[in-house]
């Protein structure tokens, strides 16, 4: 799943409007201040020069004096403007430098948003938000690549090691038939794991790139859930678990195969994380325009940190069962629920079990 994009903020909040002045107001005030200052400074200088008797008599005519005053005003105004302009230019320069850093790949750069001008403050804030998002995406991408290569490398290393042993044994036998069987079993098991991993990655990438759900049909959710429970018979049978089904008839329209995948992952997890003889309850009902499906188990449950991260790609809370999964099951579940416009919630308590609820709009 793509990291959800945070809601777009309004250009200015009421608070911004109270705290910062608008660019137009600041600019007008600034021009006014420059004019007044230039006139005042020129007047003071002219009066001073006159008092000191420095001004030559010839200049004190009603035509030349205003021209001199005007020129002096212009000069002083220009100098003052160049200083006042820094109020706008300095934050802009900081922003330009920061943009250059971002385009060079440094997403950690942030610009200080200390400026009394509202528009500039907002521009800087937006830049900082954008850099933050890019940094998070970059971290997420690096994490994904690390996890991805790790998950692939581990079984490959194991397969290669045991295959080499068998190769050597072919040239000069040194393994017992027991060992040979064990090694080939490991190779078969690890290849299965690799195959599962690549099909899960393909599935997830496929769902992530998909914006519209195709091949929709109308079917009964309760029937579909019963079918999935049957598909998983080997798993729950092996754990002496008897799933409890409380299924009301609910008709639903969606891609049937995708939804089957969702239940397979959720119910598969409920079985995987339950002790032998544990209980699993699957409830399906229709309420207020939603189809609600609960998958409740009395298994080992999760701590708060695990609950927070279970939908992340490759996240596995229970490392003792690492070999049984790859941490993609719930990421796939979440994406399917998103594509259906629904939501999924989880409640869990360590040692007491977990309850997943899927709400699908009808
Ligand atoms: P995995 O392939 O490890 O099952 P998932 O994405 O399906 O990957 O699940 C991620 C993690 O969420 C699991 O490793 C486990 O720690 C936790 N989890 C998922 N479902 C359950 C459950 N029913 N009970 C306890 N923990 C669960």
């Amino acid at each position: 799943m793509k990291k959800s994009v945070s809601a777009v903020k309004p250009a200015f909040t009421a608070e911004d409007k109270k705290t910062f002045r608008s660019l137009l107001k600041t600019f007008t005030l600034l021009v006014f201040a420059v004019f007044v200052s230039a006139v005042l400074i020129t007047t003071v200088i002219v009066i001073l020069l006159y008092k000191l008797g420095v001004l030559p008599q010839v200049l004190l005519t009603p035509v030349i004096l205003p021209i001199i005053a005007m020129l002096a005003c212009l000069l002083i105004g220009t100098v003052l403007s160049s200083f006042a302009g820094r109020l706008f230019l300095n934050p802009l320069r900081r922003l330009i430098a920061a943009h250059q850093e971002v385009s060079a790949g440094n997403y950690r750069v942030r610009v200080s948003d200390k400026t009394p001008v509202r528009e500039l403050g907002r521009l800087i804030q937006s830049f900082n938000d954008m850099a933050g998002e890019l940094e998070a995406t970059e971290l997420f991408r690096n994490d994904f690549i690390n996890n991805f290569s790790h998950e692939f490398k581990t079984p490959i290393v194991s397969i290669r090691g045991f295959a080499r042993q068998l190769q050597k044994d072919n040239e000069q036998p040194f393994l017992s038939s027991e060992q040979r069987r064990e090694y080939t079993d490991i190779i078969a098991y690890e290849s299965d794991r690799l195959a599962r991993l690549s099909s899960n990655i393909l599935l997830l990438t496929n769902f992530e790139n998909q914006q519209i759900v195709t091949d929709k049909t109308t079917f009964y959710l309760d029937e579909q859930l019963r079918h999935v429970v049957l598909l998983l018979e080997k798993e729950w049978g092996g754990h002496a678990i008897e799933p409890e089904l409380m299924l009301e008839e609910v008709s639903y329209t969606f891609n049937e195969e995708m939804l089957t995948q969702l239940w397979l992952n959720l119910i598969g997890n409920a079985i995987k994380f339950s002790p032998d003889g544990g209980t699993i309850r699957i409830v399906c009902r229709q309420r207020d325009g939603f189809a609600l499906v609960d998958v409740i188990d009395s298994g080992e449950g999760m701590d708060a940190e695990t609950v927070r991260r279970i939908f992340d790609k490759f996240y596995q809370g229970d490392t003792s069962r690492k070999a049984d999964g790859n941490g993609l099951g719930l990421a796939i579940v979440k994406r399917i629920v998103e594509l259906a416009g629904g939501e999924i919630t989880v409640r869990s308590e360590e040692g007491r079990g977990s309850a997943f609820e899927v709400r699908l709009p009808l």
Side-chain angles (χ1 to χ4, degrees):
M1 187 209 71
K2 273 181 207 137
K3 205 172 155 285
S4 63
V5 181
S6 54
V8 177
K9 290 181 192 161
F12 300 109
T13 60
E15 191 59 28
D16 284 343
K17 286 184 184 163
K18 257 191 257 162
T19 322
F20 304 108
R21 273 195 300 273
S22 84
L23 185 61
L24 182 67
K25 210 160 144 190
T26 314
F27 186 70
T28 315
L29 277 175
L30 212 68
V31 171
F32 178 72
V34 166
F35 271 133
V36 172
S37 316
V39 169
L40 279 179
I41 294 171
T42 313
T43 314
V44 170
I45 292 174
V46 170
I47 291 173
L48 259 178
L49 293 177
Y50 179 74
K51 282 263 154 105
L52 293 173
V54 187
L55 273 180
Q57 204 59 34
V58 63
L59 296 181
L60 294 175
T61 70
V63 179
I64 298 178
L65 190 61
I67 292 176
I68 291 175
M70 232 167 59
L71 288 175
C73 252
L74 262 179
L75 190 73
I76 294 167
T78 311
V79 173
L80 283 179
S81 303
S82 84
F83 281 107
R86 281 162 211 253
L87 187 68
F88 304 108
L89 277 181
N90 282 347
L92 280 177
R93 280 202 187 111
R94 290 203 302 268
L95 256 181
I96 291 169
H99 268 96
Q100 279 166 345
E101 289 270 327
V102 167
S103 41
N106 174 13
Y107 303 135
R108 269 166 298 154
V109 64
R110 299 289 182 277
V111 181
S112 148
D113 59 1
K114 274 197 200 112
T115 162
V117 184
R118 194 198 297 157
E119 281 84 351
L120 287 177
R122 196 75 193 89
L123 188 64
I124 292 174
Q125 249 177 39
S126 303
F127 169 84
N128 287 342
D129 290 350
M130 180 194 73
E133 277 293 324
L134 283 172
E135 189 184 0
T137 314
E138 173 76 356
L139 283 176
F140 184 72
R141 197 173 63 104
N142 287 344
D143 235 33
F144 181 80
I145 293 170
N146 284 343
N147 285 327
F148 184 85
S149 8
H150 176 78
E151 289 292 325
F152 264 97
K153 215 170 129 194
T154 321
I156 288 173
V157 168
S158 161
I159 290 172
R160 191 179 52 195
F162 289 108
R164 289 220 169 120
Q165 293 293 316
L166 289 169
Q167 252 176 353
K168 278 188 205 153
D169 184 62
N170 280 340
E171 284 157 20
Q172 197 177 2
F174 65 100
L175 293 172
S176 64
S177 56
E178 180 76 6
Q179 279 174 315
R180 230 174 288 132
R181 193 169 330 113
E182 193 189 330
Y183 289 4
T184 38
D185 282 352
I186 293 174
I187 291 173
Y189 173 79
E190 294 290 4
S191 333
D192 280 349
R193 212 153 86 80
L194 265 183
R196 254 200 327 266
L197 179 63
S198 30
S199 57
N200 267 346
I201 287 175
L202 269 178
L203 210 62
L204 185 59
T205 316
N206 192 5
F207 292 159
E208 280 191 336
N209 292 332
Q210 197 169 334
Q211 299 304 328
I212 312 161
V213 179
T214 51
D215 301 325
K216 286 189 186 181
T217 51
T218 301
F219 52 91
Y220 287 105
L221 268 185
D222 45 309
E223 255 178 32
Q224 187 180 49
L225 285 161
R226 249 180 239 112
H227 176 67
V228 169
V229 170
L230 274 181
L231 282 177
L232 291 169
E233 186 172 0
K234 208 170 119 222
E235 279 75 10
W236 51 262
H239 283 88
I241 293 170
E242 189 65 48
E244 230 177 89
L245 306 183
M246 298 163 76
L247 310 175
E248 286 177 16
E249 192 179 274
V250 181
S251 162
Y252 189 66
T253 304
F254 197 65
N255 181 311
E256 208 173 342
E257 208 180 310
M258 266 167 98
L259 217 58
T260 301
Q261 186 65 53
L262 191 166
W263 310 131
L264 273 172
N265 290 4
L266 270 190
I267 302 172
N269 274 350
I271 299 168
K272 188 161 75 180
F273 294 104
S274 285
D276 287 353
T279 52
I280 289 176
R281 192 181 312 146
I282 300 161
V283 187
C284 168
R285 59 202 194 284
Q286 181 174 335
R287 295 281 181 281
D288 311 319
F290 284 92
L292 305 179
V293 177
D294 296 290
V295 178
I296 304 160
D297 68 65
S298 61
E300 59 196 55
M302 295 171 256
D303 58 21
E305 170 65 6
T306 308
V307 170
R308 200 174 62 78
R309 300 195 52 198
I310 45 173
F311 296 107
D312 292 352
K313 285 172 205 163
F314 295 112
Y315 179 77
Q316 289 189 285
D318 182 356
T319 42
S320 63
R321 288 176 208 254
K322 211 169 168 53
D324 292 342
N326 43 47
L328 291 174
L330 288 181
I332 293 174
V333 164
K334 181 146 195 224
R335 181 61 189 151
I336 299 173
V337 173
E338 267 177 9
L339 284 169
E343 58 181 59
I344 178 164
T345 47
V346 51
R347 282 177 292 119
S348 189
E349 216 178 299
E350 263 183 296
R352 310 228 18 208
S354 311
F356 287 82
E357 181 176 78
V358 178
R359 283 167 70 84
L360 302 169
L362 286 167

